[in-house]
Amino acid sequence: MRIAGSTLGTPEQTVPEALALFATAGLDAAEVIYQDGYRSALPLRDRGSAEQARRASEDTGIPIVGMTPYATGINALDEGEWRTAVDEFRGAIEIAQIVGADRLRVYAGSWQPDNRDHATHWSRLVAALATLAPEASDAGVRLCVENHFGTMTQSAAETARLVREVNHPAVRVLYDQANLTFTHDEPYEEALRIQGDLVGHVHVKDLVFTDPDAPFQASETARVAASERAVRSRVVGDGIVPWGDILKSLSALGYDDVLSLEYEYRWHPQDLPEPLVGFTRAAATLRALLAEPTIAESPR
């Protein structure tokens, strides 16, 4: 498996600077945010920035394997909002081809538990992915729907249901066990039983609870506000997520692709050491776990 760094962890670096940091930290690849207004991102439909990132990727030897859009309107009932979000993903597919990325993170719309008309929003979400899937496939890109709070696929069960309903090989699951853990959804054994055959990408991060009995709450989609947090971010290996067992299970399922370190320094720098230190330590931990005989010797 290849270990990538996400530019979520490099808010003070440009994308070329982040790629150089990942190379120094001993990483194999990069996942780059696709968003306007963030220093360590590729701006929307900015071909010049994409070309610069591609050259930096070649210079550093760090391929950009994935991109992380933040569009949430693909389940919107308003036609204009829905089309704007779909078009943003079309732009991401175009930029992905320039930088060489073969996967895009997908937020399954925007959703809160007290929202109404789930079925209609869900049908809009399915329609968006069914529209985009053939276009992504033609471009050699897959759309990976994340287990993520504030969307319609917070749980593994919801994510698997969506991917199976769209029923296209270019739409896969982005497995994020840390998200499932702090939302009190499925433990890893159940999550992988439900969606393990659908995993197309994996986010890796770690955490500890400040109050494991506190109910999960988040009024935003991208992050949990400080006043709502019942966890603290940690370097992989310093928290409670059982990554050794998870990697063994992923390997047994035949997953042999990218593990993307989603180092949450953009959102929670007070919890974590500086990016070079954190990425270096996390990569070393993952490499040690991957070298264990039950993983290293698994048949592919």
Side-chain angles (χ1 to χ4, degrees), residues 84-203:
T84 296
V86 169
D87 285 343
E88 183 171 325
F89 273 101
R90 288 192 170 114
I93 290 168
E94 293 173 8
I95 296 299
Q97 291 178 282
I98 294 173
V99 300
D102 66 3
R103 69 203 70 191
L104 299 177
R105 188 277 297 279
V106 176
Y107 275 157
S110 178
W111 188 254
Q112 292 292 330
D114 58 351
N115 288 359
R116 297 181 180 181
D117 202 359
H118 183 280
T120 306
H121 283 280
W122 184 269
S123 69
R124 297 295 281 169
L125 176 61
V126 172
L129 290 173
T131 298
L132 289 165
E135 300 173 26
S137 181
D138 288 346
V141 173
R142 59 183 179 266
L143 306 172
C144 297
V145 182
E146 188 171 12
N147 309 139
H148 204 286
F149 60 90
T151 76
M152 301 193 85
T153 59
Q154 175 174 298
S155 70
E158 292 163 334
T159 314
R161 175 194 166 195
L162 176 63
V163 171
R164 291 196 169 97
E165 193 166 330
V166 176
N167 191 30
H168 193 286
V171 179
R172 299 286 90 186
V173 167
L174 197 170
Y175 172 48
D176 191 320
Q177 185 58 48
N179 284 353
L180 296 173
T181 297
F182 69 67
T183 57
H184 306 292
D185 283 292
E186 297 93 346
Y188 83 89
E189 301 95 334
E190 184 180 358
L192 291 177
R193 179 184 61 79
I194 292 168
Q195 62 177 22
D197 61 318
L198 303 172
V199 173
H201 190 46
V202 176
H203 277 173

Side-chain angles (χ1 to χ4, degrees), residues 198-260:
L198 303 172
V199 173
H201 190 46
V202 176
H203 277 173
V204 179
K205 55 181 179 280
D206 216 335
L207 59 93
V208 294
F209 279 101
T210 56
D211 182 358
D213 297 320
F216 175 76
Q217 57 178 335
S219 55
E220 302 177 44
T221 298
R223 61 173 175 173
V224 181
S227 62
E228 298 172 321
R229 295 183 79 209
V231 301
R232 295 292 179 266
S233 298
R234 292 292 181 263
V235 177
V236 172
D238 293 348
I240 64 168
V241 183
W243 281 109
D245 294 333
I246 292 168
L247 293 177
K248 291 174 186 176
S249 297
L250 282 169
S251 183
L253 287 166
Y255 186 81
D256 189 26
D257 204 336
V258 174
L259 304 171
S260 186

